[in-house]
Amino acid sequence: MTIKSDIEIARAATMKPIAEVAARVGIPADAIVPYGNTKAKVSFKHIDSLKDGKDGKLILVTAISPTPAGEGKTTTTVGLGDGLNRIGKKAMMCLREPSLGPCFGVKGGAAGGGYAQVVPMEDINLHFTGDFHAITSAHNLLSALIDNHIYWGNSLGFDTRRIAWKRVLDMNDRALREIVNSLGGVANGFPRTDGFDITVASEVMAILCLSLDLKDLERRLGNIIVGYTRDKTPIRARELKADGAMTVLLKDALMPNLVQTLENNPVFIHGGPFANIAHGCNSVLATKSALKIADYVVTEAGFGADLGAEKFFDIKCRKAGLKPDAAVVVATVRALKMHGGVAKDNLKTENVLAVNKGCENLKRHLENMAKFGVPIAVAINRFVTDTDAEMQEVMKAAESLGARAFVCTHWADGGAGTEALARHIVELADGGRSAFKPLYPDDMTLRDKVKTIATEIYRASDIACDASVETAFKDLEAGGFGKLPVCMAKTQYSFSTDPNKRGAPEGHIVPVRELRLSAGAEFVVVVTGEIMTMPGLPRVPAADSIRLNADGQIEGLF
Amino acid sequence: MTIKSDIEIARAATMKPIAEVAARVGIPADAIVPYGNTKAKVSFKHIDSLKDGKDGKLILVTAISPTPAGEGKTTTTVGLGDGLNRIGKKAMMCLREPSLGPCFGVKGGAAGGGYAQVVPMEDINLHFTGDFHAITSAHNLLSALIDNHIYWGNSLGFDTRRIAWKRVLDMNDRALREIVNSLGGVANGFPRTDGFDITVASEVMAILCLSLDLKDLERRLGNIIVGYTRDKTPIRARELKADGAMTVLLKDALMPNLVQTLENNPVFIHGGPFANIAHGCNSVLATKSALKIADYVVTEAGFGADLGAEKFFDIKCRKAGLKPDAAVVVATVRALKMHGGVAKDNLKTENVLAVNKGCENLKRHLENMAKFGVPIAVAINRFVTDTDAEMQEVMKAAESLGARAFVCTHWADGGAGTEALARHIVELADGGRSAFKPLYPDDMTLRDKVKTIATEIYRASDIACDASVETAFKDLEAGGFGKLPVCMAKTQYSFSTDPNKRGAPEGHIVPVRELRLSAGAEFVVVVTGEIMTMPGLPRVPAADSIRLNADGQIEGLF
């Protein structure tokens, strides 16, 4: 048997016209804005018309701490959604949009895998409906307005050493990380240090994903702090009159994008904020709309549960008033073996002991999730090399914490491979067992919020802040930002800040290096390690082999 | 009577579904790729299916030398197309795509005016179908691949002082004109001077507009010269293996965009290259496709006829094998008065003498056009202040050179205002009177090509080249680029290189400052003055007042 590649499977799929996919969940033809025949946006008018309807059940798919072995969170989200549809439920999925730039670095694609994919995958991974391009434009318009303001007299009094707004491109381009701009003389402005981030790292992306509607989007854009005066007074985007034009650039991008799975079930793919300097979830508008449209909505959050689920609960759900009904933690036997100390090259050999040891990571995440009051199940995303004994070990670990684990074969079987999990999730979600609450109250100080996450979720003994960070905490409280949630930027590979500490480390110290205020997105980013906001390309970039073949199909992208 | 603004007229328009507009000219539903309900791309499959069909007649709309009074070339192109449809002809228009960045500088919009507009004008002026974003991405991927190549060892031997490929953004951002990139240490590369152009100035834009199909696009992209080694050997994009991935990024952008006029007639708006460092015409693919679809195709070229028409004939028509059947030179009484020496504030007063004097400019353009063998008519784009005596003066001037002039009131009346012109154009185009030939043969040396244009079209007595330019001419001939057409970059305001010399100056010298090879677009840019490839924003940018109103409509853009 030859195993088909993701792209071969995707190409063999029979997509339905997107209007038909939409109609099946009650979205009428005049409510969709088509982008080609298999992608569409859903109009604000339609979304507004849904607002008094009943909400469906919200299910989060999260994962153990990621390893190079892979977990398959998106794939499981798609598989579970297809499974729910297969057992007769009206279910939708809400995913994040992939970024264009990284496609040219390492072969990739982020639309699921195997028989649990979202299509058209090439379009989704390239320009899609142009959302990221709109974000790039809106972000860079603000950047241009800053330097233009300084050029024409700087009446707001920008301290050019304290400009807090870089430029962005959706490209892996290390040469732009740090630049000096405005060179070349009087006509080009005042030279200053500057730099580019990748578009997904833009605060505009986080704002788009958290905005409730166009008004809220405009308000948040206006609140962005773009820099400071010499006496450290913040200057907002609103003072540059940038918020209106940025909103105009983003008005289409704010509409959720509708696509379909290989099994023709509806999926919103909308927004893709970083999971470190932002909250790493798809847009609030897509999730809220899906809850009005479908009875069950399956969504995912970036990285492992310590980062992704925590931010999903403490930032997205808190701010958008969402109440998740169940959560799934995805694990693979292979990844658990790595957490149990096995090297990547030895993952094909049965090793029950290593699985048992690696399950400490899974159990830690399960314990953590319970703190949010949401009922949990475990999805074992099965690989062909997994043995029964290994899978039994995972089930035992889950059961020891009162959760059930299900072997899921959606990669090979599509929705048929997650039926058992789907039935269980329906039971959990319908059972009214969820007593969702965020981990910390709004009123807690920022420093205590960080400490609470560090001790309760990361199981650290304490946080460590040097004098400048302590001052930053105080300044933010004094500036009126104390009630914001915190957005942790920590390595995803460990509960600790050391990426090499797999499993379930505890008693460590979490050093807080820096605080960054996202006044428009309305959270405070807490940096605990190196944060890369502009990737580079590898020695042999994927771009080298990306091309159109004789049939006009894209080769080399996946 | 209150005069409605362009945007008021556009909003009051009843757009037809784009599939209906397409169907009327025989484009079937499965041949269009919708972007919303009023914009679409036409599939390559459909375009290929047309290739053995008969070509319609090609009509160029060009203009006298522009003045601050305005001429209305796009408006006349739209009006004439509507007029041709009104008199029962199957006609299409081919226009250039407007650029996003400048919309935030000065209130603008480039989709015609009054009752001769193309809609949806907001979309067309903002993200439209994403073509410019795709060009930005493809251009910047190549930029990133250059620095990445150097970072990983520079095996091709780039001389970092001789990198000939900047970066681009579709934004007016003077701070990016000149930068130093790759700062910040070892991980970020080797610092070098760099800069950004606006996207429309990208050679990728010119290439997209001149490509015959995806294969030709890929070939041209591969030919781009991105830099030189220390011994001045050119390095091409193909050597960086960038051509395949760039083609993938541009595959949708290469499909022509279909929209409609206020009178629901079909229009291709596709491609928008600079009219100085590029050839300033819409895409070859759109024009060729339109010729297969319609019996009459009306298209425009940038700036006045000395630049726009010359490049249309000598670059676009020559390279794409197009044979224009007729041309229209647009003039306004107001602009002719300015050419006749009247200041902008005094244009409302009748001044027949000034019109007579200004007609020297019109007559010069008419004489020039005759050199290309194409029959000509004049469109007087009427303003309310124009008097009969003034218009008579223009008609006399046209008749003195054997051309007929028509008063056109499309701005106020739509297609009904150009019926007489339309009938005459049909007569000219159907009369088989066109004996089109480019101004110079491929075989002429580059220097002689420039001199021919300067003397024959600009009526200069000679060109002046300093030693470095003479060397550049020789190097290009030696490098095998001698057969390329030249692409003149000259002020549009005068036949001479002095923008203040209105009317019909002659006997001047055209100083050639610099030659720039566009090896992918396949022309040599001849720079005769200051060329601005990255605009700045004004003191009070239009962005300040652009916003969504309570009805979700865009205010401040026009």
Side-chain angles (χ1 to χ4, degrees), chain A residues 307-381:
Chain A
L307 285 161
E310 187 271 315
K311 293 187 197 188
F312 175 78
F313 293 138
D314 280 329
I315 300 176
K316 181 173 173 179
C317 291
R318 177 200 305 263
K319 302 306 280 186
L322 296 168
K323 298 201 188 312
D325 296 283
V328 175
V329 178
V330 181
T332 59
V333 165
R334 292 156 52 88
L336 291 170
K337 279 190 222 175
M338 288 198 83
H339 280 297
V342 177
K344 203 186 168 190
D345 292 341
N346 301 327
L347 293 175
K348 288 182 182 169
T349 321
E350 185 182 73
N351 190 335
V352 178
L353 202 66
V355 174
N356 175 283
K357 190 151 172 271
C359 278
E360 292 306 310
N361 184 275
L362 172 63
K363 290 199 289 192
R364 172 69 57 81
H365 285 296
L366 293 176
E367 280 172 24
N368 284 347
M369 301 291 283
K371 298 183 182 183
F372 295 95
V374 177
I376 319 281
V378 174
I380 305 172
N381 179 16

Side-chain angles (χ1 to χ4, degrees), chain B residues 185-220:
Chain B
V186 171
N188 297 350
F190 298 85
R192 65 178 183 87
T193 56
D194 190 12
F196 282 71
D197 289 333
I198 191 163
T199 298
V200 285
S202 169
E203 188 180 341
V204 176
M205 173 66 85
I207 289 173
L208 185 96
C209 291
L210 288 168
S211 293
L212 302 172
D213 54 31
L214 283 165
K215 272 281 152 219
D216 189 39
L217 176 71
E218 188 169 29
R219 180 187 66 80
R220 287 170 179 268

Side-chain angles (χ1 to χ4, degrees), chain A residues 83-101:
Chain A
L84 285 162
N85 277 287
R86 263 186 82 88
I87 64 168
K89 302 299 177 186
K90 188 176 176 185
M92 275 191 80
M93 289 135 269
C94 288
L95 302 176
R96 290 168 294 163
E97 294 184 56
S99 186
L100 176 64

Side-chain angles (χ1 to χ4, degrees), chain A residues 34 36 127 148 174-175 182 249 537, chain B residues 34 36 127 148 174-175 182 188 249:
Chain A
H127 306 294
N148 191 58
R174 69 170 69 74
S182 303
L249 281 169
L537 292 169
Chain B
H127 306 294
N148 191 58
R174 69 171 69 73
S182 303
N188 297 350
L249 280 168

